[in-house]
Amino acid sequence: MVLTIVQSLFADNVRLLKSEASKTAYQGVAIAIGTVIIATCLVCYVDTGTLTTEGLWAAQKHNVALWILNCMPFAFGFWGQYANSLMAYQAGAMIVDQTHDLRSKADDLEKQTAYVSTHDRLTDLPTRALFYDRVERAIIASTKPGYQYISLSILLIEIENFKDIYDALGRNSSDLILKQISTRLQGVMPRRDDVAKIDGNIFGVLLTNITDTEKAEKFAQQIHQTMESPFMVEGLPVAIHPNIGIVHFPEHGEDVDTLVQRAGVALHVAQRSNKGYATYDPSHDKHSPLRLTLISELRIAVESDELDLFYQPKVSIKTAEICGVEALLRWNHPVHGYVPPDEFVPLAERNRIIKLLTQWVLKRAFTDCAKWHQQGLPIKVSVNLSAKDLHDPELPDLISGVAVATGIQPEWIMLEITESSVMTDPESALGIIERLHKMGYRFSIDDFGTGYSSLAYLKRLPLTEIKIDKGFVLDILTSENDAAIVKATINLGHNLGLSVTAEGVENKEIMSILMEYGCDIAQGYFLSRPISFQDFNQWLSSSQWKIKTQPE
Ligand code: C2E
Ligand code: CA
Ligand code: CA
């Protein structure tokens, strides 16, 4: 086809140039004929002294020079035609060559543009659009007669700690890591082209010709193995934590959008599993859509100050004085209404938003604490820390930064931690706790009795307080077991030189029995429900409980 077009273009050009060349040749012939006529007239006049037909005929007949001149129009005609045809062919061929060149350059450019728009510039991997296209094609191919329902699998791989790496090392180094990750992924793939970069830190993998679904999980394990050895950037070894969500076609969906969305759900399940990968199951869907939207909305809520921090008083059982408050997060969702912290805090812990959340809580709690102290109310504020916070080496710097900015003293703050949050990685948590303790912050062990209760670690922690979980306190009047646990915990705390707080003090009777057992501090609805900063100040002025003014 292209050849025919080029040939006809060539013929057209030659025809055009030839007609131009012929014009020049005809002019040459006319000039030559003119010259012959003038020369014949001159010879006739010189020979006879006049111009007659006989004289002109005689000149033509006898003068040899005129014979030569007579040949000129023919020679011009022939030579002109020949030379110009040759030129026309050469010029035509040149134009065709250049057109051809231009065309192939345009083709290359077109291909290059298509490549750039479908490949990630950094890693050179196919983008989301191309990946979706490939999955679609694979689906169509696998449903052709003869291939019917050969299973395909899609794996979504997310680098869980990528944000931390980015924050710590900056863009260039994290880009280098992404490049290395993509090379390792391509290395492990049966077909290099079936891995794609779906999003900032998410990769997609298409496995075709999968005969049994277990193979996809084995493949996920292989991916984990290839990612195990640290990545080297600027001479530093950096470990990454990938999570993998797996879906199979046709079991989990018949189109690419459903499949990828469900792989995302599986990815969230993988984040919570020890294996680091999970295959989609319809039961995952039950909470996922709400959870998934909650996560993104929580981020917005933190950034747009939609959250609130409530305070619940802690009262000394012996002296009936208010010795502090516990800061408790509140989120009034515009659609779902009140979302309990028990629901969204664990969600935030799995999605890195916890860092933002803790930062927000610390800023608000420290600011309010500073206001109370400025008003002459020496209120100590207890702040809950999550397990993830205790493994964040930046936490001590964050806390000291907020303390300086708000003007609070470390001894006004109690940091509540749980046994399980320490036990997930005791050494790193202990390091962070020690640093904060040296800075003057005090620690309380929350929900005591519900976790590991490892006395060995309890002894190593620089604690000030034990909080008995409300689960034991609420039924203290009716359950002998719970009463025994509360009693034993109070004794244990005192033996370790710690102050003991009981949560869930809902009525006077519980308060009285706790006093009998020698418990130090009570916290619960009997004293007050958690209330806002403004409400707390009002409650304070009308309450039977008074602020403790003497330092402990
Ligand atoms: P927690 O630290 O054990 O907090 C005590 C919980 O007991 C609070 O629930 C409080 O409202 C509730 N409570 C207090 N007195 C009574 C009572 O007399 N009876 C009953 N039935 N409950 C009482 P809340 O506010 O729903 O918080 C639940 C959990 O959410 C907290 O448990 C804590 O683990 C977490 N949380 C709350 N705020 C934060 C925060 O700022 N950061 C972190 N990381 N976690 C938080
Ligand atoms: Ca607490
Ligand atoms: Ca508790």
Side-chain angles (χ1 to χ4, degrees):
M1 178 72 183
V2 176
L3 198 68
T4 330
I5 296 169
V6 171
Q7 274 170 347
S8 88
L9 190 80
F10 176 72
D12 287 349
N13 282 340
V14 168
R15 218 172 294 127
L16 188 79
L17 286 167
K18 258 176 146 182
S19 74
E20 283 297 313
S22 301
K23 248 192 242 167
T24 318
Y26 293 141
Q27 283 164 2
V29 169
I31 292 167
I33 291 171
T35 315
V36 169
I37 293 168
I38 294 166
T40 312
C41 290
L42 271 175
V43 170
C44 170
Y45 190 75
V46 170
D47 284 352
T48 62
T50 178
L51 281 177
T52 60
T53 322
E54 289 81 30
L56 289 172
W57 178 243
Q60 275 292 335
K61 214 170 167 186
H62 303 294
N63 194 314
V64 181
L66 283 180
W67 294 356
I68 297 168
L69 212 57
N70 285 343
C71 296
M72 280 304 138
F74 302 104
F76 263 116
F78 179 75
W79 177 71
Q81 281 285 11
Y82 173 75
N84 286 337
S85 296
L86 206 69
M87 270 167 64
Y89 269 100
Q90 277 173 351
M94 266 167 70
I95 289 168
V96 170
D97 276 356
Q98 283 166 358
T99 316
H100 201 66
D101 263 12
L102 273 172
R103 284 209 178 157
S104 64
K105 273 185 193 152
D107 281 352
D108 287 351
L109 217 63
E110 213 172 287
K111 276 185 203 148
Q112 216 179 323
T113 319
Y115 187 86
V116 168
S117 64
T118 52
H119 287 77
D120 177 62
R121 234 188 311 158
L122 175 71
T123 57
D124 212 25
L125 291 179
T127 54
R128 175 194 286 260
L130 186 57
F131 183 69
Y132 274 44
D133 187 56
R134 289 200 173 149
V135 174
E136 253 163 21
R137 281 166 198 249
I139 288 174
I140 294 167
S142 72
T143 48
K144 271 187 189 158
Y147 288 86
Q148 207 135 38
Y149 293 120
I150 285 183
S151 179
L152 306 167
S153 301
I154 295 175
L155 280 69
L156 282 191
I157 306 156
E158 180 206 38
I159 313 304
E160 192 186 332
N161 57 335
F162 187 72
K163 168 103 182 24
D164 297 337
I165 294 172
Y166 187 94
D167 289 344
L169 301 177
R171 188 183 179 150
N172 288 347
S173 300
S174 41
D175 276 358
L176 279 177
I177 291 180
L178 282 178
K179 265 182 159 173
Q180 293 179 43
I181 292 172
S182 64
T183 312
R184 286 196 198 180
L185 277 177
Q186 282 180 319
V188 81
M189 288 297 296
R191 290 193 338 196
R192 275 173 61 94
D193 281 356
D194 288 341
V195 56
K197 188 154 169 279
I198 302 278
D199 212 348
N201 63 338
I202 300 182
F203 295 85
V205 161
L206 169 66
L207 293 179
T208 47
N209 298 325
I210 289 281
T211 42
D212 67 283
T213 48
E214 264 178 37
K215 275 200 179 156
E217 295 208 342
K218 285 219 177 83
F219 193 76
Q221 288 166 4
Q222 270 181 32
I223 291 177
H224 270 288
Q225 278 163 13
T226 45
M227 299 294 161
E228 246 165 35
S229 58
F231 292 79
M232 295 304 293
V233 245
E234 293 167 6
L236 284 175
V238 179
I240 63 148
H241 309 307
N243 290 311
I244 306 172
I246 308 167
V247 281
H248 302 299
F249 168 84
E251 300 94 300
H252 300 145
E254 300 207 338
D255 61 274
V256 59
D257 287 309
T258 311
L259 286 168
V260 173
Q261 186 257 328
R262 290 183 170 169
V265 172
L267 190 59
H268 284 281
V269 176
Q271 284 167 352
R272 276 171 284 150
S273 84
N274 300 330
K275 295 185 291 184
Y277 63 85
T279 301
Y280 171 79
D281 187 281
S283 68
H284 297 157
D285 272 340
K286 243 189 264 163
H287 304 293
S288 301
L290 175 67
R291 285 198 165 166
L292 292 180
T293 52
L294 272 190
I295 293 162
S296 57
E297 284 166 358
L298 184 57
R299 186 184 288 277
I300 297 165
V302 176
E303 282 160 4
S304 58
D305 238 8
E306 231 177 69
L307 301 172
D308 209 346
L309 203 58
F310 274 27
Y311 297 96
Q312 188 177 34
K314 289 165 73 182
V315 170
S316 162
I317 297 175
K318 274 179 225 133
T319 64
E321 285 172 318
I322 299 161
C323 48
V325 293
E326 178 174 6
L328 294 159
L329 259 170
R330 290 294 175 262
W331 182 19
N332 250 324
H333 189 281
V335 178
H336 306 301
Y338 174 67
V339 187
D342 277 341
E343 217 166 275
F344 70 84
V345 171
L347 214 62
E349 284 184 324
R350 291 193 292 272
N351 288 281
R352 292 183 291 261
I353 299 175
I354 191 66
K355 205 169 168 172
L356 278 178
L357 210 60
T358 304
Q359 211 169 333
W360 185 91
V361 170
L362 287 167
K363 279 186 188 161
R364 173 63 81 85
F366 284 22
T367 307
D368 290 345
C369 180
K371 280 188 205 156
W372 278 319
H373 281 258
Q374 277 161 16
Q375 292 166 14
L377 303 170
I379 295 175
K380 297 197 163 95
V381 178
S382 295
V383 177
N384 289 286
L385 292 181
S386 91
K388 282 264 165 87
D389 297 324
L390 285 186
H391 301 107
D392 176 6
E394 290 170 13
L395 183 75
D397 298 320
L398 170 71
I399 291 183
S400 71
V402 179
V404 170
T406 51
I408 59 107
Q409 301 292 320
E411 55 273 20
W412 300 346
I413 303 296
M414 177 87 81
L415 299 171
E416 293 196 4
I417 57 176
T418 61
E419 293 161 280
S420 45
S421 67
V422 177
M423 297 306 286
T424 44
D425 183 356
E427 292 313 316
S428 92
L430 278 170
I432 289 166
I433 292 166
E434 274 300 338
R435 272 180 68 194
L436 283 162
H437 178 65
K438 282 197 185 117
M439 285 156 65
Y441 292 93
R442 299 178 313 151
F443 283 87
S444 162
I445 205 103
D446 201 0
D447 301 343
F448 191 79
T450 60
Y452 294 78
S453 301
S454 161
L455 285 175
Y457 275 103
L458 208 61
K459 271 183 75 180
R460 285 182 64 187
L461 290 169
L463 296 174
T464 303
E465 179 193 64
I466 280 183
K467 285 185 95 171
I468 309 173
D469 190 64
K470 60 176 180 286
F472 302 112
V473 180
L474 288 170
D475 295 330
I476 197 172
L477 301 171
T478 50
S479 158
E480 276 181 24
N481 256 349
D482 286 356
I485 289 171
V486 170
K487 218 184 212 175
T489 309
I490 293 168
N491 288 335
L492 174 75
H494 288 164
N495 284 336
L496 290 169
L498 307 174
S499 154
V500 181
T501 296
E503 293 178 340
V505 180
E506 288 195 346
N507 51 51
K508 205 175 169 185
E509 290 72 33
I510 297 179
M511 185 88 166
S512 308
I513 202 160
L514 285 170
M515 186 190 267
E516 208 178 286
Y517 291 167
C519 185
D520 304 292
I521 297 164
Q523 181 185 342
Y525 297 168
F526 175 58
L527 305 145
S528 167
R529 285 183 176 258
I531 43 179
S532 69
F533 179 78
Q534 290 78 9
D535 290 348
F536 186 84
N537 285 354
Q538 250 176 7
W539 173 84
L540 208 55
S541 53
S542 59
S543 156
Q544 57 168 309
W545 320 101
K546 293 293 166 232
I547 291 274
K548 182 175 183 174
T549 43
Q550 295 297 312
E552 272 171 17

